[in-house]
mmCIF file of all heavy atoms in Angstrom:
data_model
loop_
_atom_site.group_PDB
_atom_site.id
_atom_site.type_symbol
_atom_site.label_atom_id
_atom_site.label_comp_id
_atom_site.label_asym_id
_atom_site.label_seq_id
_atom_site.Cartn_x
_atom_site.Cartn_y
_atom_site.Cartn_z
ATOM 1 N N LEU A 108 45.424 98.185 115.917
ATOM 2 C CA LEU A 108 44.992 97.321 117.011
ATOM 3 C C LEU A 108 44.101 98.076 117.984
ATOM 4 O O LEU A 108 43.112 97.542 118.494
ATOM 5 C CB LEU A 108 46.223 96.754 117.730
ATOM 6 C CG LEU A 108 45.996 95.577 118.675
ATOM 7 C CD1 LEU A 108 45.443 94.378 117.912
ATOM 8 C CD2 LEU A 108 47.292 95.198 119.373
ATOM 9 N N GLU A 109 44.437 99.340 118.240
ATOM 10 C CA GLU A 109 43.658 100.147 119.177
ATOM 11 C C GLU A 109 42.233 100.376 118.663
ATOM 12 O O GLU A 109 41.288 100.496 119.448
ATOM 13 C CB GLU A 109 44.350 101.493 119.412
ATOM 14 C CG GLU A 109 45.635 101.412 120.222
ATOM 15 C CD GLU A 109 46.791 100.775 119.455
ATOM 16 O OE1 GLU A 109 46.725 100.748 118.196
ATOM 17 O OE2 GLU A 109 47.737 100.302 120.097
ATOM 18 N N GLN A 110 42.065 100.425 117.356
ATOM 19 C CA GLN A 110 40.743 100.669 116.789
ATOM 20 C C GLN A 110 39.817 99.459 116.868
ATOM 21 O O GLN A 110 38.597 99.619 116.954
ATOM 22 C CB GLN A 110 40.883 101.096 115.313
ATOM 23 C CG GLN A 110 41.451 102.483 115.117
ATOM 24 C CD GLN A 110 41.694 102.793 113.647
ATOM 25 O OE1 GLN A 110 42.168 101.964 112.882
ATOM 26 N NE2 GLN A 110 41.354 104.019 113.236
ATOM 27 N N VAL A 111 40.381 98.262 116.841
ATOM 28 C CA VAL A 111 39.529 97.068 116.740
ATOM 29 C C VAL A 111 39.345 96.330 118.064
ATOM 30 O O VAL A 111 38.441 95.493 118.179
ATOM 31 C CB VAL A 111 40.086 96.091 115.678
ATOM 32 C CG1 VAL A 111 40.086 96.746 114.310
ATOM 33 C CG2 VAL A 111 41.479 95.606 116.045
ATOM 34 N N VAL A 112 40.173 96.599 119.078
ATOM 35 C CA VAL A 112 39.956 95.979 120.387
ATOM 36 C C VAL A 112 38.823 96.722 121.084
ATOM 37 O O VAL A 112 38.925 97.919 121.364
ATOM 38 C CB VAL A 112 41.230 96.009 121.247
ATOM 39 C CG1 VAL A 112 40.933 95.490 122.653
ATOM 40 C CG2 VAL A 112 42.330 95.167 120.607
ATOM 41 N N LEU A 113 37.730 96.005 121.360
ATOM 42 C CA LEU A 113 36.509 96.634 121.850
ATOM 43 C C LEU A 113 36.200 96.219 123.283
ATOM 44 O O LEU A 113 36.378 95.044 123.642
ATOM 45 C CB LEU A 113 35.324 96.236 120.953
ATOM 46 C CG LEU A 113 35.486 96.512 119.459
ATOM 47 C CD1 LEU A 113 34.310 95.913 118.695
ATOM 48 C CD2 LEU A 113 35.605 98.000 119.200
ATOM 49 N N PRO A 114 35.724 97.149 124.117
ATOM 50 C CA PRO A 114 35.274 96.756 125.456
ATOM 51 C C PRO A 114 33.985 95.953 125.360
ATOM 52 O O PRO A 114 33.117 96.247 124.538
ATOM 53 C CB PRO A 114 35.045 98.102 126.162
ATOM 54 C CG PRO A 114 34.774 99.071 125.046
ATOM 55 C CD PRO A 114 35.593 98.599 123.874
ATOM 56 N N VAL A 115 33.846 94.945 126.203
ATOM 57 C CA VAL A 115 32.625 94.141 126.231
ATOM 58 C C VAL A 115 31.576 94.888 127.056
ATOM 59 O O VAL A 115 31.823 95.229 128.216
ATOM 60 C CB VAL A 115 32.900 92.749 126.832
ATOM 61 C CG1 VAL A 115 31.598 91.971 127.015
ATOM 62 C CG2 VAL A 115 33.859 91.973 125.936
ATOM 63 N N PRO A 116 30.409 95.166 126.497
ATOM 64 C CA PRO A 116 29.386 95.945 127.212
ATOM 65 C C PRO A 116 28.972 95.289 128.522
ATOM 66 O O PRO A 116 28.708 94.083 128.576
ATOM 67 C CB PRO A 116 28.208 95.961 126.230
ATOM 68 C CG PRO A 116 28.820 95.716 124.884
ATOM 69 C CD PRO A 116 29.984 94.817 125.132
ATOM 70 N N GLY A 117 28.958 96.100 129.589
ATOM 71 C CA GLY A 117 28.484 95.627 130.882
ATOM 72 C C GLY A 117 29.487 94.833 131.682
ATOM 73 O O GLY A 117 29.174 94.376 132.792
ATOM 74 N N LEU A 118 30.693 94.635 131.156
ATOM 75 C CA LEU A 118 31.701 93.840 131.858
ATOM 76 C C LEU A 118 33.011 94.618 131.898
ATOM 77 O O LEU A 118 33.769 94.670 130.913
ATOM 78 C CB LEU A 118 31.902 92.488 131.165
ATOM 79 C CG LEU A 118 30.705 91.534 131.232
ATOM 80 C CD1 LEU A 118 30.871 90.390 130.240
ATOM 81 C CD2 LEU A 118 30.543 90.982 132.645
ATOM 82 N N ASP A 119 33.274 95.228 133.047
ATOM 83 C CA ASP A 119 34.517 95.989 133.209
ATOM 84 C C ASP A 119 35.723 95.065 133.085
ATOM 85 O O ASP A 119 35.675 93.899 133.472
ATOM 86 C CB ASP A 119 34.538 96.677 134.575
ATOM 87 C CG ASP A 119 33.468 97.741 134.695
ATOM 88 O OD1 ASP A 119 33.019 98.250 133.639
ATOM 89 O OD2 ASP A 119 33.060 98.049 135.830
ATOM 90 N N ARG A 120 36.794 95.597 132.539
ATOM 91 C CA ARG A 120 38.090 94.913 132.408
ATOM 92 C C ARG A 120 38.102 93.799 131.360
ATOM 93 O O ARG A 120 39.103 93.109 131.225
ATOM 94 C CB ARG A 120 38.574 94.351 133.752
ATOM 95 C CG ARG A 120 38.682 95.385 134.881
ATOM 96 C CD ARG A 120 39.236 94.761 136.153
ATOM 97 N NE ARG A 120 39.248 95.712 137.239
ATOM 98 C CZ ARG A 120 38.229 95.914 138.051
ATOM 99 N NH1 ARG A 120 37.122 95.213 137.898
ATOM 100 N NH2 ARG A 120 38.307 96.786 139.023
ATOM 101 N N LEU A 121 36.997 93.597 130.662
ATOM 102 C CA LEU A 121 36.957 92.559 129.631
ATOM 103 C C LEU A 121 36.841 93.205 128.257
ATOM 104 O O LEU A 121 35.968 94.031 128.023
ATOM 105 C CB LEU A 121 35.782 91.613 129.853
ATOM 106 C CG LEU A 121 35.679 90.428 128.871
ATOM 107 C CD1 LEU A 121 36.903 89.524 128.979
ATOM 108 C CD2 LEU A 121 34.404 89.624 129.120
ATOM 109 N N SER A 122 37.750 92.811 127.352
ATOM 110 C CA SER A 122 37.764 93.334 125.991
ATOM 111 C C SER A 122 37.740 92.182 125.000
ATOM 112 O O SER A 122 38.026 91.027 125.349
ATOM 113 C CB SER A 122 39.014 94.197 125.752
ATOM 114 O OG SER A 122 39.053 95.292 126.647
ATOM 115 N N LEU A 123 37.414 92.519 123.750
ATOM 116 C CA LEU A 123 37.347 91.509 122.695
ATOM 117 C C LEU A 123 38.031 92.027 121.446
ATOM 118 O O LEU A 123 37.788 93.162 121.013
ATOM 119 C CB LEU A 123 35.884 91.167 122.379
ATOM 120 C CG LEU A 123 35.640 90.275 121.150
ATOM 121 C CD1 LEU A 123 36.239 88.893 121.367
ATOM 122 C CD2 LEU A 123 34.156 90.168 120.849
ATOM 123 N N LEU A 124 38.898 91.189 120.874
ATOM 124 C CA LEU A 124 39.470 91.446 119.562
ATOM 125 C C LEU A 124 38.752 90.534 118.578
ATOM 126 O O LEU A 124 39.014 89.335 118.541
ATOM 127 C CB LEU A 124 40.976 91.172 119.552
ATOM 128 C CG LEU A 124 41.697 91.247 118.200
ATOM 129 C CD1 LEU A 124 41.436 92.581 117.518
ATOM 130 C CD2 LEU A 124 43.189 91.004 118.364
ATOM 131 N N PRO A 125 37.786 91.052 117.798
ATOM 132 C CA PRO A 125 37.030 90.214 116.868
ATOM 133 C C PRO A 125 37.915 89.629 115.774
ATOM 134 O O PRO A 125 39.072 90.036 115.601
ATOM 135 C CB PRO A 125 35.992 91.189 116.287
ATOM 136 C CG PRO A 125 35.961 92.345 117.231
ATOM 137 C CD PRO A 125 37.339 92.448 117.793
ATOM 138 N N ALA A 126 37.359 88.705 115.003
ATOM 139 C CA ALA A 126 38.141 88.023 113.969
ATOM 140 C C ALA A 126 38.376 88.912 112.756
ATOM 141 O O ALA A 126 39.467 88.904 112.174
ATOM 142 C CB ALA A 126 37.421 86.743 113.547
ATOM 143 N N GLY A 127 37.369 89.669 112.332
ATOM 144 C CA GLY A 127 37.490 90.435 111.107
ATOM 145 C C GLY A 127 37.057 89.608 109.908
ATOM 146 O O GLY A 127 36.566 88.481 110.051
ATOM 147 N N PRO A 128 37.254 90.125 108.697
ATOM 148 C CA PRO A 128 36.867 89.390 107.490
ATOM 149 C C PRO A 128 37.589 88.042 107.403
ATOM 150 O O PRO A 128 38.778 87.945 107.701
ATOM 151 C CB PRO A 128 37.305 90.315 106.352
ATOM 152 C CG PRO A 128 37.415 91.669 106.977
ATOM 153 C CD PRO A 128 37.821 91.453 108.399
ATOM 154 N N ILE A 129 36.867 86.996 107.000
ATOM 155 C CA ILE A 129 37.464 85.666 106.900
ATOM 156 C C ILE A 129 38.396 85.625 105.693
ATOM 157 O O ILE A 129 37.968 85.869 104.563
ATOM 158 C CB ILE A 129 36.374 84.594 106.777
ATOM 159 C CG1 ILE A 129 35.510 84.583 108.042
ATOM 160 C CG2 ILE A 129 36.981 83.213 106.534
ATOM 161 C CD1 ILE A 129 34.352 83.613 108.006
ATOM 162 N N PRO A 130 39.683 85.314 105.903
ATOM 163 C CA PRO A 130 40.648 85.330 104.802
ATOM 164 C C PRO A 130 40.698 83.990 104.070
ATOM 165 O O PRO A 130 40.251 82.971 104.595
ATOM 166 C CB PRO A 130 41.973 85.586 105.531
ATOM 167 C CG PRO A 130 41.784 84.892 106.848
ATOM 168 C CD PRO A 130 40.321 85.040 107.198
ATOM 169 N N PRO A 131 41.263 83.973 102.865
ATOM 170 C CA PRO A 131 41.405 82.703 102.143
ATOM 171 C C PRO A 131 42.545 81.844 102.668
ATOM 172 O O PRO A 131 42.617 80.655 102.378
ATOM 173 C CB PRO A 131 41.680 83.154 100.700
ATOM 174 C CG PRO A 131 42.324 84.497 100.850
ATOM 175 C CD PRO A 131 41.687 85.128 102.060
ATOM 176 N N ASN A 132 43.460 82.453 103.436
ATOM 177 C CA ASN A 132 44.643 81.740 103.935
ATOM 178 C C ASN A 132 44.843 81.952 105.436
ATOM 179 O O ASN A 132 45.829 82.572 105.855
ATOM 180 C CB ASN A 132 45.889 82.221 103.191
ATOM 181 C CG ASN A 132 46.068 83.743 103.293
ATOM 182 O OD1 ASN A 132 45.117 84.475 103.594
ATOM 183 N ND2 ASN A 132 47.282 84.212 103.064
ATOM 184 N N PRO A 133 43.944 81.458 106.295
ATOM 185 C CA PRO A 133 44.043 81.727 107.733
ATOM 186 C C PRO A 133 45.363 81.272 108.361
ATOM 187 O O PRO A 133 45.958 82.006 109.155
ATOM 188 C CB PRO A 133 42.858 80.945 108.311
ATOM 189 C CG PRO A 133 41.909 80.787 107.188
ATOM 190 C CD PRO A 133 42.755 80.653 105.960
ATOM 191 N N ALA A 134 45.826 80.066 108.038
ATOM 192 C CA ALA A 134 47.038 79.543 108.673
ATOM 193 C C ALA A 134 48.244 80.427 108.376
ATOM 194 O O ALA A 134 49.039 80.743 109.279
ATOM 195 C CB ALA A 134 47.291 78.112 108.204
ATOM 196 N N GLU A 135 48.420 80.825 107.136
ATOM 197 C CA GLU A 135 49.555 81.672 106.766
ATOM 198 C C GLU A 135 49.473 83.036 107.435
ATOM 199 O O GLU A 135 50.480 83.592 107.882
ATOM 200 C CB GLU A 135 49.611 81.843 105.239
ATOM 201 C CG GLU A 135 50.008 80.604 104.473
ATOM 202 C CD GLU A 135 48.888 79.595 104.371
ATOM 203 O OE1 GLU A 135 47.729 79.927 104.750
ATOM 204 O OE2 GLU A 135 49.153 78.459 103.928
ATOM 205 N N LEU A 136 48.267 83.568 107.544
ATOM 206 C CA LEU A 136 48.090 84.879 108.166
ATOM 207 C C LEU A 136 48.412 84.830 109.656
ATOM 208 O O LEU A 136 49.069 85.723 110.200
ATOM 209 C CB LEU A 136 46.648 85.343 107.948
ATOM 210 C CG LEU A 136 46.379 86.848 107.959
ATOM 211 C CD1 LEU A 136 47.205 87.556 106.892
ATOM 212 C CD2 LEU A 136 44.895 87.118 107.739
ATOM 213 N N LEU A 137 47.967 83.771 110.330
ATOM 214 C CA LEU A 137 48.214 83.640 111.773
ATOM 215 C C LEU A 137 49.687 83.371 112.082
ATOM 216 O O LEU A 137 50.148 83.638 113.191
ATOM 217 C CB LEU A 137 47.355 82.503 112.342
ATOM 218 C CG LEU A 137 45.847 82.762 112.364
ATOM 219 C CD1 LEU A 137 45.101 81.488 112.734
ATOM 220 C CD2 LEU A 137 45.497 83.890 113.322
ATOM 221 N N ASN A 138 50.429 82.855 111.118
ATOM 222 C CA ASN A 138 51.842 82.526 111.328
ATOM 223 C C ASN A 138 52.774 83.621 110.824
ATOM 224 O O ASN A 138 53.992 83.460 110.829
ATOM 225 C CB ASN A 138 52.177 81.214 110.614
ATOM 226 C CG ASN A 138 53.398 80.539 111.195
ATOM 227 O OD1 ASN A 138 53.693 80.670 112.383
ATOM 228 N ND2 ASN A 138 54.129 79.813 110.363
ATOM 229 N N SER A 139 52.230 84.754 110.419
ATOM 230 C CA SER A 139 53.041 85.832 109.863
ATOM 231 C C SER A 139 53.746 86.625 110.952
ATOM 232 O O SER A 139 53.300 86.658 112.107
ATOM 233 C CB SER A 139 52.147 86.773 109.046
ATOM 234 O OG SER A 139 51.216 87.432 109.888
ATOM 235 N N PRO A 140 54.866 87.276 110.630
ATOM 236 C CA PRO A 140 55.566 88.124 111.622
ATOM 237 C C PRO A 140 54.671 89.236 112.162
ATOM 238 O O PRO A 140 54.770 89.605 113.331
ATOM 239 C CB PRO A 140 56.740 88.681 110.812
ATOM 240 C CG PRO A 140 56.960 87.702 109.714
ATOM 241 C CD PRO A 140 55.599 87.182 109.358
ATOM 242 N N ARG A 141 53.796 89.780 111.332
ATOM 243 C CA ARG A 141 52.897 90.845 111.788
ATOM 244 C C ARG A 141 51.952 90.334 112.868
ATOM 245 O O ARG A 141 51.665 91.043 113.844
ATOM 246 C CB ARG A 141 52.117 91.398 110.594
ATOM 247 C CG ARG A 141 51.338 92.667 110.912
ATOM 248 C CD ARG A 141 50.716 93.251 109.647
ATOM 249 N NE ARG A 141 49.995 94.487 109.929
ATOM 250 C CZ ARG A 141 50.536 95.680 110.008
ATOM 251 N NH1 ARG A 141 51.839 95.813 109.808
ATOM 252 N NH2 ARG A 141 49.814 96.753 110.272
ATOM 253 N N ALA A 142 51.467 89.090 112.722
ATOM 254 C CA ALA A 142 50.603 88.509 113.749
ATOM 255 C C ALA A 142 51.376 88.337 115.050
ATOM 256 O O ALA A 142 50.842 88.577 116.143
ATOM 257 C CB ALA A 142 50.066 87.164 113.273
ATOM 258 N N GLY A 143 52.648 87.944 114.961
ATOM 259 C CA GLY A 143 53.467 87.784 116.159
ATOM 260 C C GLY A 143 53.654 89.093 116.902
ATOM 261 O O GLY A 143 53.594 89.132 118.142
ATOM 262 N N SER A 144 53.891 90.181 116.184
ATOM 263 C CA SER A 144 54.084 91.477 116.841
ATOM 264 C C SER A 144 52.802 91.954 117.512
ATOM 265 O O SER A 144 52.843 92.557 118.588
ATOM 266 C CB SER A 144 54.558 92.517 115.833
ATOM 267 O OG SER A 144 53.537 92.807 114.881
ATOM 268 N N ARG A 145 51.638 91.651 116.927
ATOM 269 C CA ARG A 145 50.369 92.046 117.544
ATOM 270 C C ARG A 145 50.096 91.222 118.799
ATOM 271 O O ARG A 145 49.532 91.727 119.771
ATOM 272 C CB ARG A 145 49.217 91.893 116.543
ATOM 273 C CG ARG A 145 49.348 92.797 115.316
ATOM 274 C CD ARG A 145 49.555 94.259 115.727
ATOM 275 N NE ARG A 145 49.747 95.146 114.593
ATOM 276 C CZ ARG A 145 50.915 95.431 114.045
ATOM 277 N NH1 ARG A 145 52.033 94.861 114.499
ATOM 278 N NH2 ARG A 145 51.006 96.288 113.057
ATOM 279 N N ARG A 146 50.486 89.963 118.788
ATOM 280 C CA ARG A 146 50.325 89.141 120.000
ATOM 281 C C ARG A 146 51.165 89.705 121.142
ATOM 282 O O ARG A 146 50.715 89.749 122.297
ATOM 283 C CB ARG A 146 50.721 87.697 119.703
ATOM 284 C CG ARG A 146 49.689 86.903 118.930
ATOM 285 C CD ARG A 146 50.048 85.438 118.872
ATOM 286 N NE ARG A 146 51.209 85.194 118.038
ATOM 287 C CZ ARG A 146 51.153 84.800 116.765
ATOM 288 N NH1 ARG A 146 49.973 84.630 116.175
ATOM 289 N NH2 ARG A 146 52.251 84.586 116.072
ATOM 290 N N ARG A 147 52.370 90.141 120.838
ATOM 291 C CA ARG A 147 53.240 90.711 121.879
ATOM 292 C C ARG A 147 52.651 92.006 122.442
ATOM 293 O O ARG A 147 52.737 92.265 123.649
ATOM 294 C CB ARG A 147 54.638 90.955 121.308
ATOM 295 C CG ARG A 147 55.425 89.668 121.062
ATOM 296 C CD ARG A 147 56.865 89.956 120.718
ATOM 297 N NE ARG A 147 57.012 90.592 119.410
ATOM 298 C CZ ARG A 147 57.123 89.927 118.270
ATOM 299 N NH1 ARG A 147 57.093 88.600 118.258
ATOM 300 N NH2 ARG A 147 57.263 90.581 117.123
#
């Protein structure tokens, strides 16, 4: 998570977590326990 959360250029205190490669199963991936731990 630390590697992919990027600061937004020119805007202090604002960061972006990009989407990454588009998966074949977005709903299942977003509902996974691993996704929940990253949200926390």
Side-chain angles (χ1 to χ4, degrees):
L108 194 62
E109 289 71 20
Q110 289 174 319
V111 298
V112 174
L113 305 173
V115 173
L118 293 166
D119 294 337
R120 304 183 184 88
L121 183 62
S122 300
L123 171 65
L124 173 54
I129 297 177
N132 56 341
E135 290 76 9
L136 205 58
L137 292 171
N138 202 30
S139 66
R141 190 174 181 84
S144 67
R145 297 307 177 271
R146 283 189 290 262
R147 288 189 291 273

